[in-house]
Amino acid sequence: MSSDTARVAVAVAVVAGADEATGREIARQLAGHGLVVYLGAPDTERGRAAASELRARGGDVRFLHLDVTDEASAEFAAMRLDAEVGRLHVLVNHAGSARPPGAPGGTRAGQARRAYESRVLGVIAVTDALLPLLRRADAARIVNIGGPAAAPAGTTLACRAAEAALRAVTEAYADELRGSAVSVTGTGTGTGTAGARVPGTSAIPDIELTIP
């Protein structure tokens, strides 16, 4: 089925890293607002289980194999979305947002590499792969979930550096897409509850995401 004819009647969202608790909660909230939600996860068993759990609550949630550290995985995910729905209204980049504690002085280069692969390079890979689908929507939103602006004591050097880079990536996409139908925002998680607003349009309901 071509992207010109593959359409669904409601808005569509992708949540990367939705097999984890926070990502799954974001997927639940989006589905609760009536969106078709593709639950992106690298582990098929965990991803299918999470999608099944949310479908049991009444949401239209579909498992999407998505490993943000693998550009080919992001491209294949985009191909599937193109074939099934033809466009995308909401992309939530959440994968790899966990921040393990540790002394900055004990950070290994490998830790920094892994943090960058998921939190920075992964966001770029997924966003670039799905941006053509986002541009097809009358209005679309990209929400990048990061850590708190002020990193708490004990946060690893790798994670602090990756969070700073993620904020720079978010700002760069926001600048690039300013004036288009695609808006870009970032939000953090911390000791309290953070939120991200997905402004409403005729296709997307006005959504205030509550992020644990």
Side-chain angles (χ1 to χ4, degrees), residues 1-192:
M1 184 180 297
S2 72
S3 60
D4 292 331
T5 58
R7 295 291 184 269
V8 293
V10 296
V12 181
V14 167
V15 182
D19 55 335
E20 301 292 343
T22 299
R24 189 163 59 246
E25 172 60 18
I26 293 170
R28 184 194 67 79
Q29 292 179 45
L30 290 169
H33 282 278
L35 279 74
V36 173
V37 179
Y38 281 83
L39 187 150
D43 185 284
T44 299
E45 184 176 353
R46 290 182 58 182
R48 290 190 186 281
S52 178
E53 175 190 332
L54 295 180
R55 281 198 304 274
R57 299 186 184 186
D60 187 347
V61 181
R62 311 170 186 184
F63 168 67
L64 177 70
H65 184 267
L66 180 58
D67 181 350
V68 302
T69 65
D70 182 350
E71 288 186 65
S73 175
E75 294 293 342
F76 278 121
M79 290 171 62
R80 177 184 166 190
L81 290 164
D82 186 18
E84 293 186 5
V85 292
R87 75 217 191 283
L88 182 63
H89 298 87
V90 179
L91 168 61
V92 179
N93 285 307
H94 167 262
S97 63
R99 294 169 298 283
T107 298
R108 302 279 185 180
Q111 289 177 295
R113 188 175 297 110
R114 287 190 295 274
Y116 264 74
E117 284 178 352
S118 60
R119 296 302 299 128
V120 183
L121 301 180
V123 168
I124 295 172
V126 172
T127 301
D128 284 352
L130 301 186
L131 190 54
L133 294 168
L134 289 158
R135 288 185 182 276
R136 289 181 194 163
D138 292 336
R141 309 287 182 261
I142 299 171
V143 181
N144 293 335
I145 309 298
T155 302
T156 64
L157 171 62
C159 290
R160 293 175 69 174
E163 294 296 349
L166 175 61
R167 287 192 289 276
V169 167
T170 300
E171 291 170 1
Y173 276 114
D175 288 341
E176 177 186 344
L177 296 169
R178 187 168 287 113
S180 75
V182 183
S183 68
V184 185
T185 58
T187 186
T189 59
T191 54

